[in-house]
Amino acid sequence: IAYHKNSTIIICDTEGLMSLEESGSLFDNQMITMAILSSNLVIINHKGELSSNVEDLIGMSLYAKIQIGGTPVKSKLLFVLRDQTNRDLKIFSQQLNKLKDNLQEKGSFLKVSIDEELDIKSDNIRLLPSAFTEDINPDYNIEQRWRTQTFPIEINNLRTNIFLSLDEQIQQQSQQKCLCKTFDYLYNKLTNNWKLIDDLGGSLLECKNLYALSIQNDLKEIAQKIIAEKSKTLYSQCKDLLDNELQKQNELSPVIYMKSTIDYGTKLLNDQTTIFVHEAIDEFISQTQQSYYARTRTSVQNNIEPSIRNTQNYLQQLFVEDVYRAIQKKMAIDFEKKLSKLAKRLTKIKDNEQQ
């Protein structure tokens, strides 16, 4: 917690992204998404130049923010690049503009403007020299290392820039009434944001970048079309087959009718579904032969069979219900026939007694 003017500042640290301890894109994507959803100002402290890894993380957090929706806070991203020997801001501003253009291009399928979701301007960048320098002592021929005088000066400048950025964000957010007024409100906001991220699911946030996500979405779209077509045909054809089977078995006794019909219908439905599953997978593979689909294809393909089997389960449930209704109807008819015969017999006995 820090204090600035009349504001209380809550500082949250992700403890480093792209680390070996938490290797994998899911953790990194969750952390940066949490930061962007919850913060007015996100400081990206990075060594060296703006890398593709930074671009990928921001891209996935942008996707998650859009998917979650309902987050009025437009976070400002401030890039702090350490250990810079050449601190020509113009060069790095061009890199930042390029990063932003790449995000917009790769995220075109999201159909949003980055400027509407994130504050990434060309001047949102600060360059820091190395905190230490080293050289060989010519007298003793040993390596010496010492703290530079430039670094603390630049740190103070960075501190000033951070507070200026916070002032801008506070002014904007206060107009939109998005500032946290109490710690209870902040706690509820943070826990709710994490729940939203968790509900989004690992399968989406495990993608390393927007390009991988677009490939996954393409594959899912292809699979969904095939699944919808096969499920519709499966339902239509098997519903007719099962209805015909109900009519064929109608002459048997109720107990035999129920067991034999359900067993036969279940086997028929399973056999037909298996055929449709194989056809669907073959079609999916034939439509996704491109090399850029290779890495993601299997994970999407594995969802085809369960989706079609859902239609099988639904048909199975309907069929069993139809069988029970048919049995009830048959038993009711048989009971009426027996009552009719009994009534006729009683009438005949009564007539004989009267004679």
Side-chain angles (χ1 to χ4, degrees), residues 47-299:
K47 182 178 180 179
E49 298 181 347
L50 291 170
S51 65
S52 59
N53 290 332
V54 174
E55 178 185 314
D56 294 342
L57 284 174
I58 297 172
M60 289 306 299
S61 67
L62 173 66
Y63 167 77
K65 185 175 188 291
I66 294 169
Q67 292 300 306
I68 290 171
T71 54
V73 175
K74 180 180 176 180
S75 300
K76 178 175 182 176
L77 272 58
L78 180 63
F79 297 85
V80 178
L81 305 182
R82 312 187 315 272
D83 298 345
Q84 301 298 327
T85 55
N86 179 9
R87 297 199 301 280
D88 185 351
L89 190 59
K90 182 178 180 181
I91 296 175
F92 291 93
S93 295
Q94 291 174 350
Q95 289 184 10
L96 185 56
N97 287 333
K98 179 63 175 176
L99 180 147
K100 185 177 176 182
D101 291 341
N102 289 343
L103 287 175
Q104 189 66 63
E105 180 181 354
K106 294 177 181 178
S108 58
F109 67 97
L110 298 175
K111 302 186 186 307
V112 296
S113 171
I114 292 179
D115 291 328
E116 295 176 358
E117 302 294 335
L118 299 173
D119 182 351
I120 307 178
K121 297 186 177 69
S122 59
D123 59 347
N124 291 8
I125 191 166
R126 299 294 177 265
L127 305 176
L128 294 180
S130 176
F132 295 89
T133 188
E134 58 185 27
D135 203 350
I136 300 296
N137 187 307
D139 296 327
Y140 301 101
N141 196 30
I142 60 173
E143 184 179 285
Q144 289 185 319
R145 192 165 183 258
W146 63 93
R147 187 183 297 273
T148 66
Q149 297 297 316
T150 308
F151 186 77
I153 295 174
E154 293 299 328
I155 285 293
N156 280 329
N157 292 336
L158 173 62
R159 182 176 181 273
T160 301
N161 287 324
I162 289 174
F163 283 128
L164 287 174
S165 297
L166 278 173
D167 287 338
E168 293 175 2
Q169 288 295 101
I170 290 171
Q171 184 176 0
Q172 293 176 6
Q173 299 301 326
S174 61
Q175 293 175 355
Q176 300 175 8
K177 299 181 179 180
C178 297
L179 292 176
C180 298
K181 299 296 184 181
T182 64
F183 280 101
D184 287 340
Y185 179 89
L186 175 64
Y187 174 79
N188 291 332
K189 178 182 178 180
L190 293 176
T191 53
N192 183 61
N193 285 346
W194 184 254
K195 183 179 184 302
L196 291 172
I197 293 170
D198 190 49
D199 290 343
L200 192 58
S203 60
L204 294 177
L205 287 177
E206 279 178 352
C207 292
K208 291 185 177 181
N209 49 48
L210 287 175
Y211 175 74
L213 181 63
S214 66
I215 294 297
Q216 178 177 279
N217 287 345
D218 287 346
L219 287 170
K220 285 183 176 180
E221 184 177 352
I222 294 171
Q224 286 170 358
K225 288 181 180 179
I226 294 173
I227 290 169
E229 178 187 348
K230 295 300 179 184
S231 296
K232 182 179 179 180
T233 308
L234 173 66
Y235 179 87
S236 176
Q237 292 185 6
C238 288
K239 189 71 169 64
D240 292 339
L241 290 173
L242 294 174
D243 289 343
N244 291 335
E245 185 60 26
L246 281 174
Q247 297 298 325
K248 290 179 183 178
Q249 301 290 337
N250 203 30
E251 300 300 323
L252 300 175
S253 66
V255 176
I256 299 175
Y257 169 82
M258 180 178 67
K259 186 177 185 308
S260 64
T261 304
I262 291 178
D263 288 347
Y264 181 82
T266 300
K267 184 179 183 305
L268 175 67
L269 185 56
N270 185 69
D271 292 344
Q272 291 296 314
T273 303
T274 301
I275 293 173
F276 278 94
V277 167
H278 290 160
E279 290 179 354
I281 292 175
D282 290 342
E283 286 187 26
F284 178 76
I285 293 175
S286 68
Q287 293 182 32
T288 57
Q289 288 297 307
Q290 294 86 339
S291 59
Y292 49 81
Y293 286 145
R295 181 174 297 181
T296 316
R297 180 170 51 214
T298 302
S299 62

